Amino acid sequence: MIILQTSDFSQQGKYYIPFNTKLCGSVAELQAYIDRYEKRYLIDLLGCELSELFINDLVDGIPQDQIYIDIYNEICVDISQGFDYSYFGLCECKPQRIISRGMKSMLMGFVFFQYMRDQPNAKGLTGTTNKKAENSTIVSFSKWGIDQFYNEAIEDYKNIQYYIYENKENYSTFNGVKKEIASTLF
C-alpha cells in the first residue's frame, strides 16, 4: 500500500465499484490495478526522485513532512500577479487559482479509469471476450463518460504540478511529466 486501498472504492460515491455483479471484477483484481498504476502515476506526477522521497515520508498512506502534506491535501490557492506563467507553455489562458481535490482523489480517478475501462472484456485461456449482462445492456464508454473520470484526475494532476512549480524552492527534485486532458478516449 502506498496511498490507496481497495476499500477506498467500496464506499458509495464517485469512485464506487460494485463487486457483487457479474460484470465487475474482484477485489483482488482491483488490488492488482492499484499495484500497477498507483506508483506509476506518482512517478509521472513528481518524477523518480521526488516520488521516492514522497513515498518514504508516508506513514499509513499519509505524508508527515509539511512539504508533502501540502501537495497531498486539497489545494485552493489564488495565483499572485508575480506568478511565472512560463510553466504553462504557449497557453494564452492564465489560471486565476490552483484547485486540486487532493492526491488521493487524483489517484483514485486514475485507477478507477484504468480498472473500469477493462471491465467489459474478460481475458481467458481462449482469448479476450466481451462480458454480457443478463438483465441489462452495457452502456458504451462515450455514453457514461468514462473519459470524464480521467480528465478530472488530470485536472488535479496538473494543478498539483502547478502548485509545485509555484513553490519550486521546496521541490528542487521535481521532474514530473505533463499530461493533457483527453478530448475523447473512445
Side-chain angles (χ1 to χ4, degrees):
M1 175 189 103
I2 297 175
I3 295 173
L4 299 181
Q5 299 177 40
T6 57
S7 61
D8 294 326
F9 298 90
S10 66
Q11 302 164 9
Q12 293 291 336
K14 185 167 185 83
Y15 303 116
Y16 172 67
I17 297 175
F19 290 111
N20 59 352
T21 68
K22 291 181 181 179
L23 294 178
C24 255
S26 66
V27 173
E29 187 179 12
L30 176 59
Q31 184 61 56
Y33 276 76
I34 291 170
D35 295 343
R36 178 180 179 106
Y37 291 108
E38 182 178 31
K39 187 171 183 178
R40 177 56 194 251
Y41 278 109
L42 284 173
I43 291 170
D44 287 352
L45 176 70
L46 304 173
C48 293
E49 190 174 343
L50 185 56
S51 67
E52 277 304 311
L53 293 169
F54 175 83
I55 291 167
N56 290 337
D57 189 63
L58 297 175
V59 174
D60 295 327
I62 307 291
Q64 304 302 300
D65 191 326
Q66 191 62 47
I67 65 168
Y68 302 122
I69 292 169
D70 290 345
I71 60 175
Y72 174 82
N73 287 336
E74 293 181 1
I75 299 170
C76 185
V77 177
D78 291 322
I79 296 176
S80 67
Q81 295 296 349
F83 183 72
D84 178 5
Y85 289 99
S86 64
Y87 179 79
F88 296 94
L90 300 174
C91 176
E92 293 184 22
C93 57
K94 296 180 180 176
Q96 300 299 309
R97 64 188 48 87
I98 299 169
I99 300 172
S100 166
R101 288 168 282 273
M103 196 177 289
K104 183 171 184 175
S105 178
M106 177 202 74
L107 290 169
M108 286 179 69
F110 284 133
V111 170
F112 180 88
F113 166 78
Q114 296 289 349
Y115 181 80
M116 294 303 288
R117 178 175 69 164
D118 289 346
Q119 288 313 299
N121 303 308
K123 299 169 195 119
L125 295 175
T126 59
T128 303
T129 59
N130 191 278
K131 296 179 183 178
K132 186 174 181 179
E134 290 180 21
N135 297 321
S136 59
T137 303
I138 295 177
V139 177
S140 70
F141 289 129
S142 61
K143 287 187 180 175
W144 75 271
I146 192 171
D147 57 332
Q148 294 307 311
F149 290 90
Y150 179 83
N151 287 343
E152 187 174 295
I154 287 292
E155 287 176 20
D156 288 333
Y157 179 100
K158 289 173 72 170
N159 283 316
I160 291 168
Q161 286 188 333
Y162 295 159
Y163 179 86
I164 290 170
Y165 186 78
E166 186 177 69
N167 297 281
K168 56 188 163 201
E169 67 278 358
N170 295 329
Y171 306 98
S172 61
T173 59
F174 171 71
N175 193 25
V177 297
K178 289 185 181 181
K179 290 189 182 289
E180 296 297 325
I181 299 266
S183 58
T184 182
L185 297 171
F186 305 98

